[in-house]
Amino acid sequence: MGFLEELKALLPGRVLTREAEIAPYESDALTAYRKRPLAVVLPQEKGEVVQVVRLCHRHGIPFVARGSGTSLSGGSLPVEGGIVLALNRMNRILKLDPAARIAVVEPGVVNLEVSRQAAPFGLYYAPDPSSQPVSTLGGNVAFNSGGAHCLKYGMTANHVLGLEVVTPEGEVVRLGGESLEGVGPDLHGFFVGTEGLLGVAVEITLRLLPKPEAYHTLLAAYESLERAGEAVSLIIQRGLLPGAIEIMDRLAIEAAEKAVRAGYPQAEALLIVELEGPKEEVAAEAQVLEEVIRESGAYAVRVAASEAERQAIWKGRKAAFSAVGRLSPDYLVQDGVVPRSRLGEALREIGRLSQAFGLRVANVFHAGDGNLHPLVLYDGKKPGELERAEALAGEILKLCVRLGGSLTGEHGIGVEKKAYMPEMFAQEDLLAMERVKAILDPKGLANRGKVLPEVVRG
């Protein structure tokens, strides 16, 4: 019996092989890249994932785990000749313990659903990527997703207490547990952010936080992107640690207004700052924040007077990525990081690169931690324009590293950025990563071809 026949016998009726069935799985949110998998498998519980991975190991078939496919780096792109493990049906919250403030979930649970289920207990799950209404926690773990509020609360890794993982050989291992105080090596922290190279997370234990008592959400308009960037440094210098600090430029504002009518003022740049915590603390910090914003040169300031107004401010920001599709038929989303102190310099250079390449760039980013999200606009139907957009995106990544930053803040390396890994890591570093991968996945089956550049493999 061949591999596909054995696979279909394991999961009757849940192995997709027809062209029309597997077409939706040929790419993730980075639609410029496409690959057709050998098959798409729809497991419903942990034991089925184990059986499928063991079968892949026996036959030497590569596999990619996938949730909602919101990866923006090609991280869940299928491997040619391999299968896709589509984990959306593994969407149960297995345990929610309000006293211990933890939730145990399967990888197909949608990010926002955890907060919905925890809300009656006054709790929520802090990491909030813009894709949180659709992205699944398995993918959030794979890419160490962040979001607008990661400045204060940290990334996914800061909220994962334990994992149950199926290794590339089909062994089930437990990493971490349910305690905030771990014992021994931080193996679950090591796994978070490895982009599926070391196995498949089939159970995730999350830390929940009490919902903030009060919010103070401020929107400020500036005459230049640089002035908005400088305001961020002023806020931090004054000792404030907001829950979120976000910046949108004119193109992103225009797109958001067309898409969701957030009511944003016309501006070259908008700064969104959200304070949260105990009422007395937020009230005191709000006074300091308003002084800083006044000193920073904002020409229009709005403070949300109700939860509805707060949600309207965030609706535009959260919709910005998809809204840019109203301005351009195609776009690439980048994800570099620069030190906060060099934001203005980075934005100036991105503007120069945009002019040099003749392509528009919309800027939306987590300003508090310097995580840039330049959106390079192009038309894939015009010959050579995709290649030009990729070259511009590459120059932005090199710029981030040159300024002392990183290739990625939360979207991962995937296939899109792996050629730029030598810009950030020495050959010895890359070889060390390759050796870890080879020890834990000798056949190279788990998400083959991602993250590590081929030059190292050779």
Side-chain angles (χ1 to χ4, degrees):
M1 189 184 292
F3 172 75
L4 281 178
E5 288 73 21
E6 286 190 63
L7 195 58
K8 290 175 180 178
L10 277 179
L11 280 77
R14 287 184 283 127
V15 177
L16 312 180
T17 56
R18 291 201 292 269
E19 185 175 340
E21 293 175 326
I22 63 177
Y25 299 89
E26 290 180 358
S27 74
D28 52 21
L30 184 67
T31 55
Y33 294 83
R34 291 187 176 274
K35 290 278 187 182
R36 180 163 296 174
L38 178 66
V40 176
V41 183
L42 308 173
Q44 293 177 342
E45 50 93 17
K46 175 176 63 180
E48 292 178 341
V49 175
V50 173
Q51 287 180 302
V52 171
V53 170
R54 286 176 180 171
L55 183 65
C56 287
H57 185 259
R58 195 163 72 246
H59 286 270
I61 301 293
F63 60 88
V64 177
R66 171 190 168 115
S68 298
T70 55
S71 167
L72 288 160
S73 62
S76 50
L77 187 73
V79 177
E80 200 164 342
I83 67 164
V84 172
L85 272 165
L87 303 176
N88 299 74
R89 296 188 181 190
M90 294 178 62
N91 59 1
R92 292 174 288 271
I93 295 179
L94 303 172
K95 178 180 179 180
L96 202 159
D97 186 338
R101 293 182 181 173
I102 63 167
V104 181
V105 305
E106 292 182 320
V109 172
V110 169
N111 175 297
L112 195 56
E113 187 60 23
V114 178
S115 291
R116 288 196 185 111
Q117 296 298 323
F121 306 102
L123 302 171
Y124 78 115
Y125 178 61
D128 62 337
S130 294
S131 60
Q132 70 177 151
V134 291
S135 66
T136 55
L137 286 157
N140 290 180
V141 166
F143 293 96
N144 194 21
S145 300
H149 291 79
C150 66
L151 169 63
K152 185 170 186 175
Y153 298 106
M155 312 287 281
T156 297
N158 301 103
H159 300 270
V160 173
L161 300 176
L163 294 165
E164 192 166 55
V165 173
V166 180
T167 72
E169 296 180 342
E171 180 186 357
V172 180
V173 297
R174 277 199 172 275
L175 311 175
E178 295 187 353
S179 172
L180 289 173
E181 300 297 329
V183 177
D186 181 16
L187 294 177
H188 60 288
F190 170 71
F191 184 88
V192 176
T194 53
E195 301 193 30
L197 295 184
L198 305 181
V200 183
V202 289
E203 189 178 290
I204 307 160
T205 302
L206 304 171
R207 177 169 70 116
L208 304 178
L209 298 180
K211 292 178 72 175
E213 184 182 9
Y215 294 97
H216 180 87
T217 308
L218 177 147
L219 180 72
Y222 291 86
E223 294 176 350
S224 76
L225 201 53
E226 288 176 49
R227 292 294 292 273
E230 290 163 1
V232 175
S233 294
L234 290 174
I235 291 167
I236 303 299
Q237 284 170 16
R238 290 292 289 271
L240 296 176
L241 183 60
I245 308 179
E246 299 286 302
I247 289 179
M248 301 169 64
D249 73 358
R250 180 177 49 80
L251 275 176
I253 297 163
E254 180 187 343
E257 279 300 300
K258 286 182 177 179
V260 300
R261 301 179 186 231
Y264 290 156
Q266 288 189 344
E268 285 301 309
L270 286 180
L271 176 68
I272 300 171
V273 184
E274 183 160 274
L275 303 172
E276 54 187 61
K279 283 183 181 178
E280 294 81 4
E281 180 183 304
V282 169
E285 289 184 344
Q287 292 180 3
V288 178
L289 176 62
E290 285 169 25
E291 288 174 14
V292 173
I293 295 299
R294 196 164 49 245
E295 293 167 9
S296 70
Y299 67 83
V301 179
R302 181 190 307 164
V303 175
S306 66
E307 179 61 19
E309 289 185 14
R310 173 178 174 259
Q311 292 298 334
I313 289 173
W314 281 113
K315 187 177 183 181
R317 167 58 188 90
K318 295 280 188 177
F321 281 7
S322 56
V324 167
R326 292 171 177 261
L327 305 183
S328 175
D330 301 289
Y331 58 93
L332 296 176
V333 182
Q334 268 310 337
D335 173 47
V337 181
V338 297
R340 272 193 304 262
S341 60
R342 307 193 77 172
L343 266 176
E345 185 180 351
L347 294 169
R348 272 196 307 274
E349 183 62 12
I350 289 171
R352 188 194 69 77
L353 288 168
S354 172
Q355 290 185 337
F357 280 82
L359 295 170
R360 293 182 297 167
V361 177
N363 288 285
V364 184
F365 51 97
H366 308 316
D369 58 357
N371 188 187
L372 304 176
H373 290 317
L375 295 96
V376 181
L377 280 53
Y378 72 98
D379 185 347
K381 292 179 181 177
K382 294 182 178 178
E385 199 151 298
L386 168 60
E387 290 74 18
R388 202 157 86 247
E390 289 182 319
L392 170 53
E395 289 302 313
I396 292 173
L397 290 176
K398 291 177 184 177
L399 167 69
C400 291
V401 175
R402 198 163 61 245
L403 293 179
S406 166
L407 294 173
T408 179
E410 56 180 337
H411 294 175
I413 300 298
V415 294
E416 182 196 30
K417 300 182 192 134
K418 67 177 184 176
Y420 299 97
M421 288 285 277
E423 299 285 334
M424 184 171 174
F425 296 102
Q427 185 78 355
E428 293 79 8
D429 298 325
L430 293 170
L431 288 170
M433 295 178 201
E434 184 69 34
R435 284 196 295 271
V436 171
K437 167 71 170 169
I439 290 168
L440 298 177
D441 182 13
K443 293 186 177 182
L445 302 180
N447 217 3
R448 178 184 289 172
K450 312 292 173 58
V451 183
L452 298 169
E454 276 75 9
V455 64
V456 177
R457 299 174 192 278

